[in-house]
Amino acid sequence: MTQKLNGAWSGWTLTDRSLISPTGREYRPDDIEPAVYTQAELAKALGVTRGAIADRVRRGTLPPFDAGKGWRRETIAPFIK
């Protein structure tokens, strides 16, 4: 499925797998929202500092990392509103 967009999105194309800019650049879901959140990305999403995230990890109020030094989107989804 391919759909040409209108209005503010005029010139953009939406396909089953991506959003394509008027210049031809392709954006996939992971370009818009990361599949794995680092401490810095989670801090930004929650509006807190990296130090606050590190403290939450130490206290056990955030789950342990499940993707190297980060979390998969599904793991931390309950914490992001």
Side-chain angles (χ1 to χ4, degrees):
M1 173 190 102
T2 299
Q3 177 183 357
K4 294 282 185 187
L5 302 175
N6 299 313
W9 293 95
S10 182
W12 289 75
T13 303
L14 182 64
T15 69
D16 289 338
R17 297 184 190 141
S18 61
L19 179 64
I20 302 170
S21 76
T23 60
R25 183 168 179 191
E26 184 175 9
Y27 296 90
R28 296 187 177 257
D30 288 345
D31 295 326
I32 298 165
E33 181 179 356
V36 174
Y37 282 79
T38 64
Q39 286 187 34
E41 290 165 333
L42 182 56
K44 184 176 178 181
L46 295 177
V48 299
T49 65
R50 262 188 83 224
I53 296 298
D55 287 342
R56 292 178 187 187
V57 170
R58 275 193 291 278
R59 288 192 317 262
T61 57
L62 280 175
F65 298 127
D66 63 355
K69 285 285 191 176
W71 299 271
R72 288 184 185 83
R73 185 180 315 146
E74 305 81 40
T75 303
I76 57 159
F79 301 93
I80 300 176
K81 295 180 171 96

